[in-house]
Amino acid sequence: MSVLLRDRFTCQRCSRLEADTSQLVADHKRPHRGDETLFWDVLNLWTLCKPCHDSWKQREERKDRGQ
């Protein structure tokens, strides 16, 4: 919730303002790959709307894994 508040419930990719928090994701900018420090680092988190997270971000992560 602190990340959503910090980012003012606004997707940091498409700038969509979303009052329904079920449509927002606190997402890792850089994959943590099990690194607990990176996982909990609030500077590594940003707010994405579900459409950006479930489309663009997932494509980027698959590309980074070579899939």
Side-chain angles (χ1 to χ4, degrees):
M1 182 57 79
S2 66
V3 174
L4 303 183
L5 286 167
R6 179 198 66 202
D7 293 343
R8 298 179 182 211
F9 302 95
T10 303
C11 178
Q12 300 302 292
R13 181 164 188 274
C14 73
S15 300
R16 174 181 172 174
L17 176 62
E18 180 59 68
D20 180 358
T21 58
S22 72
Q23 296 302 306
L24 296 171
V25 177
D27 178 68
H28 293 94
K29 295 177 189 177
R30 208 171 85 204
H32 58 84
R33 308 231 193 281
D35 179 335
E36 286 188 40
T37 303
L38 198 52
F39 181 87
W40 294 109
D41 182 357
V42 295
L43 298 177
N44 187 42
L45 294 169
W46 61 348
T47 300
L48 294 179
C49 64
K50 291 262 313 145
C52 284
H53 178 267
D54 294 349
S55 61
W56 168 78
K57 181 62 187 255
Q58 295 305 310
R59 277 193 310 274
E60 291 296 307
E61 288 185 2
R62 280 192 298 275
K63 184 171 60 175
D64 288 346
R65 290 189 300 245
Q67 297 177 347

